[in-house]
Amino acid sequence: MKKVLLTFGIIVFLVGAFVFYNKHYLPPLPIENLSKKTVIEKINDSETRMVKLSNENGQEWYVIKERDTSVVDEMIKEMLHQNGWTFKEKDGNGLFFERHGENLIVATQKWTEDYLLVKIPVNFNE
């Protein structure tokens, strides 16, 4: 009986370690080609608060380690302002910008309590 319990305990520990190490406890990502573990490593290894993750289907994906969405909104506004975009309004999780008669929508999404994902059309810095 002791061997069975010990074996069971070891299996539970190994499964738990695997889940924790690979970040399986985190919610799914809307980005196809990145693992949760890779996203966490990229943000933790970066010296900046906003880290580019990928360029997928005409969208650039970023992650920001920040709980306060208003702080994230200001970071996005500043980044786009540097590329000539003027902020117009926020509606839900979308920030609307304009430049030379063109419109641009940036979408934000809470991934976890500590991380926000940002999706920006790739043509924002042209």
Side-chain angles (χ1 to χ4, degrees), residues 82-95:
Q82 291 175 3
N83 286 285
W85 293 94
T86 304
F87 175 72
K88 290 298 177 189
E89 67 177 310
K90 179 175 179 164
D91 186 11
N93 70 335
L95 287 88

Side-chain angles (χ1 to χ4, degrees), residues 5-111:
L5 287 175
L6 181 61
T7 302
F8 180 73
I10 290 171
I11 291 171
V12 168
F13 174 78
L14 291 174
V15 168
F18 176 80
V19 167
F20 182 78
Y21 178 76
N22 289 299
K23 310 299 183 207
H24 287 294
Y25 57 90
L26 293 172
L29 281 166
I31 307 165
E32 294 176 15
N33 298 321
L34 285 177
S35 72
K36 299 170 197 177
K37 181 181 174 208
T38 301
V39 171
I40 297 297
E41 286 174 349
K42 280 187 172 201
I43 192 76
N44 288 339
D45 292 344
S46 176
E47 294 184 15
T48 62
R49 291 177 61 198
M50 186 175 201
V51 176
K52 184 176 178 180
L53 295 174
S54 76
N55 190 340
E56 191 173 277
N57 300 323
Q59 305 289 326
E60 288 187 7
W61 285 93
Y62 294 83
V63 64
I64 301 173
K65 186 173 184 176
E66 175 62 55
R67 289 178 178 225
D68 187 348
T69 55
S70 62
V71 171
V72 171
D73 291 349
E74 292 305 315
M75 292 171 69
I76 294 167
K77 289 176 191 177
E78 178 59 31
M79 183 174 91
L80 269 78
H81 177 73
Q82 291 175 3
N83 286 285
W85 293 94
T86 304
F87 175 72
K88 290 298 177 189
E89 67 177 310
K90 179 175 179 164
D91 186 11
N93 70 335
L95 287 88
F96 296 79
F97 295 86
E98 183 180 61
R99 179 179 72 180
H100 310 299
E102 288 183 73
N103 293 314
L104 182 84
I105 302 171
V106 176
T108 62
Q109 131 179 21
K110 200 81 150 144
W111 181 42

